[in-house]
Amino acid sequence: MHPTASLAGQTALVTGGGRGIGKAIALGLGDAGAEVVVNYSTSATAAEEVVRTIEASGGKAYALQSNVSVETEVDSLIKAILERSGRIDVLVNNAGITRDGLLMRMKIDDWQSVIDLNLTGIFLCCRAIARPMLKQKSGRIINITSVVGLMGNAGQANYAAAKAGVIGLTRTAAKELASRGITVNAVAPGFIATDMTKDLNTEAILKDIPLGTFGTQEQVAGVVRFLAGDPAAAYITGQVLQVDGGMVMA
Ligand code: NAP
């Protein structure tokens, strides 16, 4: 655990925390002293491995299965955490999928499943956690969006629409919850090396990234950790922090 453990005594939920960026976020929050709830949908072994890694470095963590695109499962997930940990201080809405295809050929199922998880899933988690956070008069919510939600992307109408929606949801939640000291921000990664991006045409993409490389999961996790635990971040809300090597400058 980090010597200046800023999240000691706090509980953090990371959706999709067993793999990819979510795993790096879970490990980062564990290192900052939080008890981490590693949510997963299908990757039980990976999630348990993240739990063991946090515990091995002196931290606290447990894994909980839940499909966060389903209302009843989200409500049960939040209830289970409140029963076990008593509070939730940090929510990181990280779980996300892609189902790419050109607009004119996109199947309704591919549209719907991306909206259901990447947008409705975040709404469901924010809604379920709003009441307990309002009661405790504190909380930090961090939603993982994407630069694609700011700039659009050919072949990703569903994903871009969901990620743009997350930005509107973030700003609305920030306004609704601010009076009780709860901050709500979005982090917009550019291209980060994970399973989600492993099949992309790297050379073509790198041309559009001023810093000339893909980002790392740890770089995204570092920004989330700052928003979740740094005292300076208490005065940041309703913002979209881009971690994109300069891809989108506006
Ligand atoms: P990834 O490696 O494909 O991991 C996706 C994560 O989402 C997994 O942990 C997965 O858990 C979880 N998940 C999928 N369906 C779920 C469900 N129904 N309920 C709960 N969890 C579910 O993706 P990633 O690259 O780490 O992406 C993480 C987030 O960053 C996503 O929101 C993505 O849109 C965003 N992002 C990524 C990039 C990038 O370049 N990689 C760029 C911008 C934004 P299971 O395996 O258990 O299903």
Side-chain angles (χ1 to χ4, degrees), residues 7-15 29 34-39 62 64 68 73-93 124-142 177 180-183 228:
L7 289 170
Q10 300 199 21
T11 299
L13 164 62
V14 183
T15 68
L29 297 180
E35 174 186 50
V36 184
V37 185
V38 183
N39 158 254
Y62 55 94
L64 286 180
V68 296
E73 294 200 25
V74 169
D75 291 345
S76 306
L77 172 70
I78 301 300
K79 193 163 169 269
I81 300 169
L82 291 173
E83 278 169 12
R84 179 159 171 178
S85 301
R87 53 189 297 125
I88 303 175
D89 302 281
V90 177
L91 164 65
V92 185
N93 284 305
L124 292 171
C125 290
C126 288
R127 188 183 66 174
I129 220 156
R131 203 181 297 274
M133 279 189 176
L134 284 167
K135 249 168 120 183
Q136 73 197 22
K137 296 195 178 65
S138 67
R140 301 215 181 161
I141 299 175
I142 298 132
L177 304 176
R180 300 284 181 96
I182 300 159
T183 66

Side-chain angles (χ1 to χ4, degrees), residues 208-225:
D208 296 328
I209 304 176
L211 285 176
T213 56
F214 274 27
T216 67
Q217 299 169 25
E218 289 69 28
Q219 286 165 336
V220 179
V223 172
V224 172
R225 177 175 172 157

Side-chain angles (χ1 to χ4, degrees), residues 16 19 21 41-43 67-68 94 145 159 163 190 192 194 197:
R19 296 195 287 120
I21 293 171
S41 154
T42 56
S43 301
N67 176 348
V68 296
N94 162 81
T145 177
Y159 186 80
K163 293 298 188 184
I192 309 298
T194 68
T197 51

Side-chain angles (χ1 to χ4, degrees), residues 2-188:
H2 197 271
T4 57
S6 53
L7 289 170
Q10 300 199 21
T11 299
L13 164 62
V14 183
T15 68
R19 296 195 287 120
I21 293 171
K23 173 181 177 179
I25 291 170
L27 294 176
L29 297 180
D31 187 56
E35 174 186 50
V36 184
V37 185
V38 183
N39 158 254
Y40 65 94
S41 154
T42 56
S43 301
T45 311
E48 290 297 347
E49 184 62 39
V50 173
V51 168
R52 275 196 298 278
T53 306
I54 292 171
E55 287 174 342
S57 46
K60 279 177 31 177
Y62 55 94
L64 286 180
Q65 197 276 337
S66 173
N67 176 348
V68 296
S69 66
V70 177
E71 184 178 21
T72 49
E73 294 200 25
V74 169
D75 291 345
S76 306
L77 172 70
I78 301 300
K79 193 163 169 269
I81 300 169
L82 291 173
E83 278 169 12
R84 179 159 171 178
S85 301
R87 53 189 297 125
I88 303 175
D89 302 281
V90 177
L91 164 65
V92 185
N93 284 305
N94 162 81
I97 52 167
T98 51
R99 295 285 180 273
D100 296 353
L102 290 176
L103 175 62
M104 63 181 183
R105 286 194 221 114
M106 186 170 283
K107 304 246 185 328
I108 188 68
D109 286 354
D110 290 334
W111 167 267
Q112 200 59 55
S113 55
V114 170
I115 297 293
D116 283 352
L117 178 64
N118 297 13
L119 179 57
T120 308
I122 297 188
F123 156 71
L124 292 171
C125 290
C126 288
R127 188 183 66 174
I129 220 156
R131 203 181 297 274
M133 279 189 176
L134 284 167
K135 249 168 120 183
Q136 73 197 22
K137 296 195 178 65
S138 67
R140 301 215 181 161
I141 299 175
I142 298 132
N143 298 326
I144 306 301
T145 177
S146 165
V147 288
V148 164
L150 296 166
M151 65 180 194
N153 197 25
Q156 291 197 307
N158 48 3
Y159 186 80
K163 293 298 188 184
V166 168
I167 294 171
L169 172 60
T170 298
R171 291 183 172 144
T172 301
K175 288 186 175 176
E176 290 190 14
L177 304 176
S179 64
R180 300 284 181 96
I182 300 159
T183 66
V184 189
N185 291 289
V187 172

